[in-house]
Amino acid sequence: MARPTSKDVARAAGVSQAAVSLVLGDKWHGRVSPATADRVRDAARTLGYRPNLAARNLRLGRTRTALLVVPALTNDFFARVYTGAARKAAEHDFGVVLYPSPEGLGPAKDPFASARAALDGVIASSMAAQTLTALHGADLPLVMLDSDPTDPTAGAHVNLDVADGMRQITEHLLGLGHRRFLHLAADVDSWTFAARAQAIQDTLAATPGTTLRTARAPLSAAYSRAAATQALAAPGPRPTAVICDGDMIAAGACKAARRMGLTVPDDLSVTGFDDLALATAVDPELTTVRLPAERVGERGMEALTAILDGRSPQNDALPTQLVVRDSTAPPHTP
């Protein structure tokens, strides 16, 4: 049986071949009616028509491939970003290649002999744009996720409202009665962590009688435990609440508290950020901020396809959500 062609789809839908090309190439908006688009898609499904992607890509000068660069594969946040990007890419007949940047900091090398020949664009999550010089130098569209929105290097930014997430955490702890705080800040120089720190400072500044101590901590449970131990043992009144830049750091803080003979949350409230699987694997389960990681990946892919099609990408920040669990409680009163 002969493979169905676009001419067969056009005949079945009662439209021109040009209309079929527009609809199946996802370029029909404003050019054909939604009803016509539905009719073309229904005809293509019924006939089992699949466009010849190799021929189309050669004609358009595109590979239909995007590179997703992430700092590391040890954090399930980035796995969920990839899931969202790949799901949205499939709707546009795109493929997504996942590439972890060396040691999570960069600079990221070009993983291809020629990125320009192999890719249509780059999506980078939670990184500084300057770490992508080798890739962006190939004159590829660049979409940055969870990064400095004022950086002009990228063609589009997809950001989470991380500042609001930290405000929610801080206000939750203030509402419980906490006034002495420790911020275990990620030992990474990036926009996202700077925005979180500023949000904590601004929120506490509006409440009289609060104190804030800050200590840098690696993004791992093992190494952050040592940082938390040192900060909690420092001279002066001990903090009653620890705000952590990530769930991994929070897990380390909980370990440190236990080894110091402190109980979470009776003696010390601890909060995370990200809502990784780890947040409900530890005991007590972490109060944290949930980030819509899959939606971040979807929006990143949507932004890239918009740039490639000459459209303006959506640029509003994605909301974050406070998730209250058992690691926070009112401060203990002796």
Side-chain angles (χ1 to χ4, degrees):
M1 183 176 177
R3 177 176 175 170
T5 66
S6 61
K7 184 182 290 187
D8 297 325
V9 176
R11 187 182 302 114
V15 299
S16 67
Q17 278 185 267
V20 170
S21 179
L22 287 172
V23 172
L24 298 184
D26 199 28
K27 297 184 186 226
W28 61 272
H29 300 277
R31 303 171 80 172
V32 302
S33 70
T36 298
D38 288 341
R39 201 161 65 247
V40 168
R41 285 190 288 260
D42 288 343
R45 278 193 295 269
T46 300
L47 293 172
Y49 172 75
R50 294 290 182 274
N52 186 330
L53 295 181
R56 184 177 71 181
N57 295 345
L58 184 62
R59 184 173 67 254
L60 296 176
R62 290 188 182 177
T63 65
R64 312 296 289 184
T65 304
L67 184 71
L68 174 61
V69 187
V70 298
L73 295 179
T74 54
N75 186 318
D76 63 77
F77 172 82
F78 299 114
R80 288 185 281 143
V81 169
Y82 170 78
T83 298
R87 180 168 56 235
K88 184 58 61 174
E91 296 177 11
H92 296 275
D93 294 321
F94 257 78
V96 177
V97 177
L98 182 62
Y99 177 47
S101 172
E103 298 180 6
L105 297 175
K109 298 177 182 178
D110 186 343
F112 304 97
S114 170
R116 172 75 269 180
L119 302 168
D120 279 336
V122 177
I123 304 170
S125 181
S126 308
M127 302 176 69
Q130 60 264 28
T131 65
L132 301 161
T133 303
L135 293 169
H136 193 51
D139 194 29
L140 289 166
L142 173 63
V143 176
M144 298 296 296
L145 314 180
D146 192 30
S147 63
D148 185 354
T150 66
D151 190 324
T153 308
H157 293 272
V158 176
N159 276 327
L160 295 147
D161 198 344
V162 291
D164 183 60
M166 271 307 187
R167 278 192 291 271
Q168 291 180 59
I169 280 278
T170 309
E171 289 172 353
H172 165 67
L173 292 167
L174 286 169
L176 291 172
H178 292 277
R179 293 298 180 268
R180 298 196 304 272
F181 294 85
L182 167 63
H183 176 205
L184 283 179
D187 193 14
V188 177
D189 184 15
S190 71
W191 169 85
T192 187
F193 295 121
R196 299 175 200 196
Q198 191 62 54
I200 296 170
Q201 293 167 24
D202 291 346
T203 305
L204 292 182
T207 303
T210 59
T211 61
L212 175 63
R213 185 184 302 172
T214 301
R216 305 284 275 184
L219 283 166
S220 80
Y223 292 110
S224 62
R225 178 180 63 79
T229 300
Q230 184 175 3
L232 290 169
R238 190 177 62 231
T240 63
V242 182
I243 302 175
C244 302
D245 269 352
D247 293 342
M248 294 293 288
I249 295 177
C254 289
K255 270 191 170 184
R258 280 195 298 272
R259 295 193 181 191
M260 296 174 71
L262 302 174
T263 301
V264 177
D266 295 337
D267 299 314
L268 190 70
S269 285
V270 178
T271 64
F273 205 94
D274 292 337
D275 198 26
L276 306 179
L278 172 71
T280 54
V282 297
D283 186 24
E285 295 186 358
L286 286 174
T287 292
T288 187
V289 171
R290 179 172 296 155
L291 305 180
E294 290 190 21
R295 186 67 188 120
V296 171
E298 289 178 348
R299 281 276 294 271
M301 194 66 218
E302 288 170 353
L304 180 58
T305 55
I307 292 171
L308 292 171
D309 292 342
R311 295 180 285 111
S312 296
Q314 192 174 348
N315 61 6
D316 56 306
L318 291 165
T320 56
Q321 179 188 357
L322 172 67
V323 180
V324 177
R325 297 195 179 100
D326 296 334
S327 67
T328 53
H332 176 65
T333 304

